[in-house]
Amino acid sequence: MENSAGIQASLAGRYASALFDLAAEAGAKKDGVSAVEADLDKLHAALNESDALTNLISNPQVSRDQAAAAIAAVGKKLKLSSLTHNFLGVLAGNRRLGDLPGMIRAFNAIAAAQRGEVTANVTSAHPLSDSQLSTLKDKLTASEGRTVKLSADVDPELLGGLVVTIGSKRIDGSIRTRLNSLAHAMKQG
């Protein structure tokens, strides 16, 4: 399997690549790529919702055994597949749970690339409606020439407008940037 050299170069990318290879070998079974991707989405949501879980994976004072037991309990509660559950055990044993968020991003990027998708992150000052997200997704898909998977974030400091990031390409249509550009132009004049 061909992965981006940038993803494989990072520690998180190497772990994600290994997990992807194992999931691809499992194929259509219950531990396949889509099952692991769904598991990682659950973990990502759990990390965003629980400060205690985030602290657990990043606390160096938690022993390997304690981390393994705690993450196993989380895996059981989230009903994760056996492959994902075992992967988390390896991370706990290697004291790499703190790198889990990066591994989740890298795995999602690898899986999207295999499907011919590209991921776009859209940041807006206010939450976008489903119809706005759908319209934006259609326009980005047309401009990129391949399927676009959107992830949406909210940053009130933008004041208005959007910032869209696709890979290394960034489209900044935020009011904050426009005001900063105007202030810079006024200082020049």
Side-chain angles (χ1 to χ4, degrees):
M1 179 194 78
E2 282 294 314
N3 287 331
S4 163
I7 290 175
Q8 286 188 340
S10 70
L11 176 81
R14 288 193 303 271
Y15 274 90
S17 182
L19 178 60
F20 184 86
D21 289 344
L22 290 170
E25 284 177 20
K29 297 177 189 172
K30 65 179 181 168
D31 289 344
V33 173
S34 58
V36 171
E37 200 168 13
D39 288 348
L40 295 179
D41 286 344
K42 289 180 200 174
L43 275 168
H44 179 71
L47 287 167
N48 286 339
E49 293 172 9
S50 172
D51 290 337
L53 181 57
T54 303
N55 290 336
L56 169 82
I57 68 167
S58 60
N59 188 342
Q61 294 178 331
V62 175
S63 73
R64 292 173 199 244
D65 292 339
Q66 291 171 325
I71 204 70
V74 168
K76 190 173 183 177
K77 176 84 171 159
L78 295 175
K79 298 180 180 165
L80 302 180
S81 69
S82 61
L83 179 58
T84 307
H85 189 77
N86 292 342
F87 178 72
L88 293 174
V90 169
L91 294 182
N94 292 343
R95 299 191 75 66
R96 296 291 183 208
L97 283 173
D99 296 317
L100 184 59
M103 291 174 200
I104 293 170
R105 284 190 299 276
F107 185 93
N108 288 336
I110 294 167
Q114 285 295 109
R115 289 190 300 267
E117 293 177 350
V118 64
T119 301
N121 185 3
V122 180
T123 306
S124 59
H126 305 285
L128 298 175
S129 69
D130 289 341
S131 66
Q132 289 171 321
L133 287 170
S134 178
T135 301
L136 182 59
K137 181 179 178 179
D138 292 342
K139 288 184 179 188
L140 290 173
T141 297
S143 73
E144 289 296 312
R146 53 188 171 161
T147 305
V148 174
K149 183 178 178 183
L150 282 181
S151 69
D153 294 321
V154 176
D155 181 2
E157 291 185 14
L158 292 180
L159 303 176
L162 298 173
V163 176
V164 179
T165 307
I166 303 173
S168 62
K169 187 171 29 172
R170 184 178 176 108
I171 305 163
D172 191 339
S174 67
I175 292 176
R176 177 181 64 190
T177 299
R178 290 179 190 171
L179 289 173
N180 287 342
S181 296
L182 182 62
H184 182 69
M186 290 172 68
K187 286 181 186 177
Q188 297 291 328

